[in-house]
Amino acid sequence: MTIQFELVSPEALIFSKQVALVTVPGGEGDYGVLPGHAPMITTVRPGVIDIYEQESGTISERIFVAGGFAEVVGERCTVLAEEAVPVAELYRSQIEETLSQLVEDAELAKLDSERVEIEAKLAVTRAKLQAVS
Protein backbone atom coordinates (compact mmCIF):
# COMPACT_ATOMS: atom_id res chain seq x y z
CA MET A 1 0.00 0.00 0.00
CA THR A 2 1.11 3.55 -0.70
CA ILE A 3 0.10 7.12 -0.02
CA GLN A 4 0.32 10.08 -2.41
CA PHE A 5 2.91 12.55 -1.11
CA GLU A 6 3.23 16.07 -2.47
CA LEU A 7 5.73 18.72 -1.45
CA VAL A 8 5.02 22.23 -2.67
CA SER A 9 7.11 25.38 -2.25
CA PRO A 10 6.13 28.91 -3.28
CA GLU A 11 8.14 28.42 -6.48
CA ALA A 12 7.04 24.97 -7.65
CA LEU A 13 5.81 21.46 -7.05
CA ILE A 14 8.96 19.80 -5.66
CA PHE A 15 7.81 16.21 -5.27
CA SER A 16 4.70 14.23 -6.18
CA LYS A 17 4.73 10.42 -5.97
CA GLN A 18 3.16 7.42 -4.38
CA VAL A 19 5.29 6.46 -1.36
CA ALA A 20 5.26 3.82 1.35
CA LEU A 21 6.04 6.26 4.19
CA VAL A 22 7.00 9.88 4.72
CA THR A 23 8.30 11.40 7.96
CA VAL A 24 7.62 15.09 8.56
CA PRO A 25 9.22 17.46 11.11
CA GLY A 26 5.98 18.62 12.71
CA GLY A 27 5.64 21.54 15.07
CA GLU A 28 4.88 19.10 17.92
CA GLY A 29 7.56 16.59 16.88
CA ASP A 30 8.37 14.30 13.97
CA TYR A 31 5.63 12.03 12.70
CA GLY A 32 5.32 9.35 10.06
CA VAL A 33 2.50 9.17 7.54
CA LEU A 34 1.48 5.73 6.29
CA PRO A 35 -1.49 4.74 4.16
CA GLY A 36 -4.66 5.06 6.25
CA HIS A 37 -3.27 7.80 8.51
CA ALA A 38 -5.87 9.82 10.41
CA PRO A 39 -6.74 13.18 8.81
CA MET A 40 -4.88 16.16 10.28
CA ILE A 41 -3.46 19.60 9.61
CA THR A 42 -0.28 20.63 11.39
CA THR A 43 2.59 23.08 11.28
CA VAL A 44 5.98 22.01 9.95
CA ARG A 45 9.14 23.21 11.68
CA PRO A 46 12.53 23.55 9.98
CA GLY A 47 13.93 20.06 9.44
CA VAL A 48 14.19 17.12 7.06
CA ILE A 49 11.41 15.20 5.36
CA ASP A 50 12.43 11.57 4.82
CA ILE A 51 10.70 9.80 1.94
CA TYR A 52 10.48 6.02 1.75
CA GLU A 53 9.30 5.01 -1.73
CA GLN A 54 9.45 1.29 -0.93
CA GLU A 55 8.48 -0.61 2.20
CA SER A 56 12.11 -1.75 2.57
CA GLY A 57 12.80 0.79 5.31
CA THR A 58 15.37 2.60 3.17
CA ILE A 59 15.11 6.36 2.77
CA SER A 60 14.93 7.18 -0.94
CA GLU A 61 14.99 10.98 -0.63
CA ARG A 62 15.73 13.56 2.06
CA ILE A 63 14.48 17.11 1.60
CA PHE A 64 15.11 20.02 3.97
CA VAL A 65 12.12 22.28 4.61
CA ALA A 66 12.28 25.64 6.35
CA GLY A 67 8.80 25.34 7.86
CA GLY A 68 5.24 25.45 6.61
CA PHE A 69 2.07 23.37 6.94
CA ALA A 70 1.10 19.75 6.32
CA GLU A 71 -2.28 18.23 5.57
CA VAL A 72 -3.12 14.54 5.66
CA VAL A 73 -6.45 13.43 4.17
CA GLY A 74 -7.44 9.99 2.95
CA GLU A 75 -4.55 8.53 1.03
CA ARG A 76 -2.71 11.83 0.50
CA CYS A 77 -0.17 13.91 2.44
CA THR A 78 0.62 17.43 1.23
CA VAL A 79 3.34 19.64 2.68
CA LEU A 80 3.30 23.35 1.84
CA ALA A 81 6.86 24.46 2.61
CA GLU A 82 8.27 27.96 2.91
CA GLU A 83 11.50 26.65 1.35
CA ALA A 84 12.48 23.16 0.20
CA VAL A 85 15.96 21.95 -0.78
CA PRO A 86 17.25 18.40 -1.25
CA VAL A 87 19.70 17.66 1.58
CA ALA A 88 22.29 16.65 -1.05
CA GLU A 89 22.29 20.28 -2.27
CA LEU A 90 23.15 21.73 1.17
CA TYR A 91 26.82 22.51 1.78
CA ARG A 92 28.21 22.64 5.29
CA SER A 93 30.76 25.40 4.57
CA GLN A 94 28.10 27.73 3.13
CA ILE A 95 25.75 27.03 6.03
CA GLU A 96 28.49 27.70 8.59
CA GLU A 97 29.37 30.97 6.85
CA THR A 98 25.70 32.05 6.88
CA LEU A 99 25.41 31.07 10.55
CA SER A 100 28.47 33.13 11.46
CA GLN A 101 27.10 36.17 9.62
CA LEU A 102 23.67 35.83 11.25
CA VAL A 103 25.20 35.59 14.74
CA GLU A 104 27.14 38.78 14.03
CA ASP A 105 23.98 40.47 12.69
CA ALA A 106 22.07 39.45 15.83
CA GLU A 107 24.72 41.04 18.05
CA LEU A 108 24.52 44.28 16.06
CA ALA A 109 20.72 44.43 15.80
CA LYS A 110 19.25 47.49 17.47
CA LEU A 111 15.53 46.89 17.08
CA ASP A 112 13.54 44.01 18.55
CA SER A 113 11.90 43.45 15.17
CA GLU A 114 15.36 42.98 13.61
CA ARG A 115 16.33 40.49 16.32
CA VAL A 116 13.12 38.49 15.83
CA GLU A 117 13.73 38.24 12.07
CA ILE A 118 17.37 37.25 12.58
CA GLU A 119 16.45 34.65 15.23
CA ALA A 120 14.02 33.04 12.76
CA LYS A 121 16.78 32.88 10.13
CA LEU A 122 19.16 31.45 12.74
CA ALA A 123 16.69 28.68 13.58
CA VAL A 124 16.43 27.67 9.90
CA THR A 125 20.21 27.85 9.43
CA ARG A 126 20.85 25.73 12.53
CA ALA A 127 18.33 23.15 11.28
CA LYS A 128 20.16 23.06 7.92
CA LEU A 129 23.45 22.49 9.74
CA GLN A 130 21.89 19.63 11.68
CA ALA A 131 20.55 18.17 8.41
CA VAL A 132 24.03 17.91 6.91
CA SER A 133 25.63 16.51 10.07
Side-chain angles (χ1 to χ4, degrees), residues 5 7 11 15 17 25 32 36-37 40 43-44 65 73 85 87 96 98 106 112 116 118 132:
F5 173 64
L7 175 60
E11 294 83 28
F15 188 95
K17 277 188 185 174
H37 194 286
M40 66 181 218
T43 58
V44 175
V65 292
V73 291
V85 181
V87 171
E96 288 173 342
T98 300
D112 286 342
V116 168
I118 293 168
V132 298

Side-chain angles (χ1 to χ4, degrees), residues 63-124:
I63 302 172
F64 176 83
V65 292
F69 295 92
E71 176 187 43
V72 179
V73 291
E75 296 301 314
R76 181 175 47 84
C77 174
T78 303
V79 173
L80 306 171
E82 296 170 13
E83 171 189 354
V85 181
V87 171
E89 294 178 15
L90 295 175
Y91 300 100
R92 184 176 197 81
S93 60
Q94 290 176 338
I95 297 166
E96 288 173 342
E97 185 177 313
T98 300
L99 184 63
S100 177
Q101 184 62 52
L102 286 170
V103 168
E104 185 177 315
D105 290 349
E107 291 171 357
L108 298 173
K110 295 180 176 150
L111 301 174
D112 286 342
S113 60
E114 290 176 337
R115 282 190 201 94
V116 168
E117 184 178 331
I118 293 168
E119 287 298 324
K121 290 178 182 178
L122 276 167
V124 171

